[in-house]
Amino acid sequence: VSNFLARFQSPPHILELDHLIVTGDVTFGAGVQLKGTVIIVANHGARIDIPPNSVLENKVVSGNLR
């Protein structure tokens, strides 16, 4: 549980979220909003950091984003 919680600066806003898939090393900044269908896939050995106050709506994010 502590490893899971360490990936979130604050809980994301998910009231309008229908479906979420997260794979790999992904962290979420404070104030992130997730809407619709969001798929986030960090490649093996890569990391994705979702910046604070980001809004992801019906998005696919993959690769390496720091």
Side-chain angles (χ1 to χ4, degrees), residues 10-63:
S10 68
H13 176 79
I14 59 170
L15 287 177
E16 298 178 52
L17 182 65
D18 296 322
H19 190 80
L20 175 65
I21 297 173
V22 178
T23 304
D25 189 3
V26 179
T27 61
F28 294 83
V32 171
Q33 295 182 44
L34 305 174
K35 301 178 181 184
T37 298
V38 178
I39 301 170
I40 305 170
V41 179
N43 295 338
H44 181 71
R47 179 173 167 169
I48 295 177
D49 296 325
I50 305 299
N53 302 311
S54 296
V55 177
L56 300 177
E57 183 172 1
N58 298 317
K59 294 287 182 190
V60 175
V61 179
S62 65

